[in-house]
Amino acid sequence: MTIPARNHPLARDPRLQEIAAKVEAGVRLDFDDGMACLTTRDLFGLGRIADRAKMRKTGNSVFYVLNRQLNPTNLCVLSCKFCDFAAKKGDEHAYEMSMEQILEHGSDDIDEIHIVSGLHPKWKFEDYVDIVRRLKDAYPHLPIKAWTAVEIDWFAKLSKKSVEEVLTTLKEAGVVAMPGGGAEVFSDRVRNELYKSKMGHERWFEIHRTAHRLGIRSNVTLLYGHIETLEERVNHLIQVRDLQDETGGFYSFIPLEYQLGTTKLVDRPPSADDGLRTIATSRLMLDNFDHIKAYWVMLGEETASVALNFGADDLDGTIVEEKIAHFALAESPVGLTQRRILKLIREAGKVPVRRNALYDVLETHDENDARAHSVS
Ligand code: V47
């Protein structure tokens, strides 16, 4: 029996009542629905609908990973206007790690190493491949999630190889998955304003499409809360959904909250309300995604925990030493303990599930376990 839209119990806003009925009937949301989600005054109604949609995908589970981030250098030939991480030679915050320092980031006790880098003006493609090879040699069981599409595009230029050749070489070296960075906002207007010299969205799509074809699955991000319009956010989601329809290769969608840092593209950071609304809208628009990530580094721990009742089902991980958001003055810690992550998930009333980079389930923390971990 279909519930008449006007009486739908989950929301007060009549537009959301229609959306709830559509979601329940498995009818895909359109652009106007996306705009209604992003502009409704009934935030809690939106959250309830998104949580219901999440429950249908992954039940009460919330995923997390024992991981470590590695950013081998921040020297970068690009000058994206939102980025405080990138540096030019001679800048006070410029750095490049030695191979020894890089290898110290690996461990046999974690389930993912997440590698993102600057586009170093001197390093060759082989140097980046070598990082993967050496990590793989040192830690054969550690899943390596490495290089965004921006780096892959750069590697293809450096080596004069095709995207397929670059990705095949990296896969042979040990890359099993790719992070979703560099997507920013799939809009030519935003690109022209903020990151003109970086590849456009067609190339980003081509790289992820090729990765998926080669068996390297990946994530996709949205950088929100700067100069983009709400219409551009919804268009971004629709383009992401179209690509997922085509390849089915994305694990997770990750809205990244813009950190003002020193780049200050806008006067104020995005609000918690905006973060929750964006997560919930992503869950509802992206009906072909299993996972929506509440990235605690940029949202802050508390908002990320609340987001687990607004459609998110993944908290990312322990990270240990985050740099990109913290060079942009993020207020969150640089890493979290496993105990803290379990607490954030349990405070949201959900069940923590430990995964690896490939979303294989490694451990479900049951009720008895919950009591053991609640002693802080
Ligand atoms: O592409 C740069 C963003 C991204 C800022 O795939 C900024 O699991 C906010 O992609 N404020 C890199 N964001 C990080 C990334 C990521 C993070 C966590 C998990 C995954 C995953 C991917 O960081 C860049 C850019 O969009 N970024 N500067 C800033 N000031």
Side-chain angles (χ1 to χ4, degrees), residues 79-308:
S79 302
C80 304
K81 289 188 185 159
F82 54 79
C83 185
D84 266 321
F85 171 69
K88 304 292 176 206
K89 207 159 180 73
D91 283 355
E92 212 176 302
H93 71 298
Y95 74 90
E96 50 183 275
M97 293 182 189
S98 65
M99 187 57 84
E100 197 186 354
Q101 289 170 320
I102 288 171
L103 291 177
E104 279 166 10
H105 285 69
S107 161
D108 286 321
D109 298 329
I110 56 174
D111 305 307
E112 171 184 282
I113 185 157
H114 163 122
I115 316 178
V116 174
S117 187
L119 310 184
H120 193 289
K122 296 263 167 64
W123 288 6
K124 301 191 169 52
F125 175 44
E126 261 314 308
D127 297 322
Y128 292 88
V129 178
D130 211 33
I131 291 174
V132 177
R133 264 197 208 112
R134 297 283 301 271
L135 280 165
K136 180 80 191 155
D137 282 350
Y139 311 100
H141 303 296
L142 172 60
I144 300 173
K145 178 175 103 187
W147 318 123
T148 70
V150 180
E151 287 121 295
I152 303 297
D153 177 55
W154 179 242
F155 300 161
K157 288 198 177 90
L158 281 179
S159 64
K160 302 192 170 44
K161 289 180 195 292
S162 67
V163 167
E164 177 160 348
E165 287 168 322
V166 165
L167 288 169
T168 303
T169 305
L170 289 170
K171 188 177 175 187
E172 282 165 6
V175 167
V176 295
M178 273 171 64
E184 322 313 358
V185 185
F186 295 138
S187 147
D188 289 336
R189 184 193 72 85
V190 177
R191 178 178 168 230
N192 280 331
E193 294 269 332
L194 299 184
Y195 45 94
K196 215 174 182 162
S197 51
K198 190 150 86 184
M199 63 176 189
H201 62 271
E202 292 299 344
R203 180 75 166 164
W204 195 100
F205 294 156
E206 180 197 339
I207 290 167
H208 281 260
R209 199 179 268 128
T210 309
H212 296 173
R213 182 163 49 76
L214 296 172
I216 305 171
R217 294 187 64 186
S218 64
N219 296 328
V220 48
T221 55
L222 159 71
L223 181 66
Y224 71 91
H226 45 92
I227 63 154
E228 89 288 2
T229 63
L230 296 185
E231 286 80 0
E232 283 164 338
R233 278 193 216 180
V234 176
N235 276 326
H236 183 96
L237 291 172
I238 291 173
Q239 291 176 79
V240 164
R241 185 170 72 187
D242 287 348
L243 191 54
Q244 179 76 325
D245 271 348
E246 188 187 317
T247 70
F250 290 116
Y251 289 120
S252 133
F253 180 75
I254 313 157
L256 299 175
E257 181 190 291
Y258 169 59
Q259 312 291 302
L260 260 60
T262 68
T263 59
K264 290 196 171 30
L265 296 174
V266 282
D267 294 336
R268 272 189 277 169
S271 61
D273 173 309
D274 196 13
L276 296 173
R277 198 178 281 279
T278 303
I279 296 253
T281 305
S282 306
R283 169 59 75 189
L284 293 173
M285 291 296 289
L286 300 178
D287 55 359
N288 51 5
F289 272 67
D290 285 342
H291 305 293
I292 306 291
K293 196 181 279 189
Y295 189 46
W296 62 262
V297 170
M298 294 182 187
L299 284 173
E301 292 163 82
E302 308 303 339
T303 307
S305 182
V306 176
L308 303 179

Side-chain angles (χ1 to χ4, degrees), residues 283-351:
R283 169 59 75 189
L284 293 173
M285 291 296 289
L286 300 178
D287 55 359
N288 51 5
F289 272 67
D290 285 342
H291 305 293
I292 306 291
K293 196 181 279 189
Y295 189 46
W296 62 262
V297 170
M298 294 182 187
L299 284 173
E301 292 163 82
E302 308 303 339
T303 307
S305 182
V306 176
L308 303 179
N309 277 289
F310 279 74
D313 75 320
D314 189 333
L315 259 196
D316 200 274
T318 42
I319 295 177
V320 183
E321 198 192 357
E322 201 283 335
K323 284 197 166 66
I324 295 175
H326 287 85
F327 275 43
L329 310 178
E331 287 173 9
S332 58
V334 292
L336 290 182
T337 61
Q338 180 185 29
R339 175 182 292 239
R340 178 73 182 140
I341 289 185
L342 295 181
K343 194 159 190 274
L344 292 174
I345 296 174
R346 290 198 173 111
E347 277 173 359
K350 306 288 183 189
V351 176

